[in-house]
Amino acid sequence: MLKANRSVGASVILFLLTALPAAGQELSKEEKDTGFVAMFTGKDLSGWEYLGKSTSPFSLQDGAIHYKGGNGWLCYTVKEYPDFELRCDFKLIKKGGDGGIFFRASKDSAGGANWPSQRYELQVKDYPEQGRLWNLPYELDKETVAKVRKPLGEWETYRLIVQGNKVEAHLNGARVVTSDKAKPGKEGYIGLQAEGGEQAFRNLRVRPLKP
């Protein structure tokens, strides 16, 4: 009887570990109340599609989306978001790592670089201009970036707000970059870029915004 009880207990523990979201992936009450949805469960990469010519460098490790080396991008295919707020944690694991968060992106991988042919990008890179934007003019507060950046290997947070022609990003709670030059009303996907190095992402959540 004791052996049977142990077996049942082990089965219950296994069920809880596989059925519940990974720690930290669950939405807060504030996020639920304001319309956020989780983009990643911490258990698998469902809802995400690798777009690139080579083997995908993305994998699931320790409840996070991880990549090491390679060139390509991971597209969140569940829905297109022209106007949205995105929140996530990211970690630069090795010095010199380069990556990014694509938004308003087309679902393709054009040319030899394996990036979407149409996209904007919020940089996730090991350099002093962390938080800069790509493919549109921007204003970056480098002094604030220097103050709020965390050491290599520590988790950091991004909050990206895209609405009409305006884009702004917050790094570890501080607004560091703004732009009012985005093309409004443009449908597009959100995705994660791998461009060498090693990085991880977790706690990805998004909510649509009105134009």
Side-chain angles (χ1 to χ4, degrees):
M1 181 64 70
L2 180 61
K3 184 176 181 180
N5 287 340
R6 287 177 178 173
S7 177
V8 171
S11 298
V12 170
I13 292 172
L14 180 60
F15 171 80
L16 290 173
L17 289 174
T18 55
L20 295 176
Q25 306 293 345
E26 184 65 32
L27 298 176
S28 68
K29 183 179 184 305
E30 176 266 333
E31 289 171 330
K32 290 178 181 178
D33 290 345
T34 53
F36 279 90
V37 296
M39 304 169 68
F40 173 58
T41 65
K43 298 184 297 181
D44 57 46
L45 295 179
S46 58
W48 296 83
E49 179 183 351
Y50 175 68
L51 296 172
K53 294 181 179 179
S54 59
T55 302
S56 173
F58 292 94
S59 64
L60 179 68
Q61 291 190 23
D62 301 322
I65 297 175
H66 175 274
Y67 85 77
K68 185 175 182 179
N71 283 292
W73 72 291
L74 198 64
C75 178
Y76 182 65
T77 61
V78 174
K79 187 177 179 180
E80 291 182 86
Y81 288 92
D83 299 276
F84 64 90
E85 179 181 349
L86 170 74
R87 298 178 183 179
C88 72
D89 300 339
F90 68 93
K91 179 166 62 173
L92 302 169
I93 299 173
K94 288 188 177 180
K95 189 173 180 59
D98 192 357
I101 299 172
F102 291 142
F103 58 98
R104 289 186 179 172
S106 53
K107 189 183 174 185
D108 60 6
S109 57
N114 295 326
W115 318 138
S117 56
Q118 303 293 324
R119 82 275 188 188
Y120 297 128
E121 179 186 350
L122 172 62
Q123 288 276 331
V124 182
K125 187 174 180 178
D126 178 29
Y127 74 148
E129 293 192 358
Q130 182 69 281
R132 65 169 286 183
L133 300 173
W134 186 90
N135 206 25
L136 73 166
Y138 63 90
E139 293 184 7
L140 179 68
D141 186 341
K142 296 181 182 179
E143 291 185 2
T144 299
V145 171
K147 291 177 182 177
V148 301
R149 283 190 71 194
K150 295 184 179 181
L152 201 69
E154 292 189 16
W155 285 105
E156 305 189 66
T157 64
Y158 259 148
R159 180 175 169 232
L160 173 63
I161 302 168
V162 179
Q163 195 165 29
N165 66 327
K166 297 184 181 299
V167 178
E168 67 177 58
H170 299 242
L171 173 64
N172 299 327
R175 190 173 70 173
V176 294
V177 69
T178 59
S179 175
D180 60 1
K181 301 299 183 183
K183 294 179 180 179
K186 183 180 177 183
E187 291 285 340
Y189 291 92
I190 296 171
L192 304 177
Q193 180 200 36
E195 193 176 6
E198 187 174 1
Q199 300 183 14
F201 297 85
R202 68 181 186 187
N203 297 337
L204 292 126
R205 53 258 281 125
V206 65
R207 65 166 176 163
L209 297 176
K210 293 181 180 180

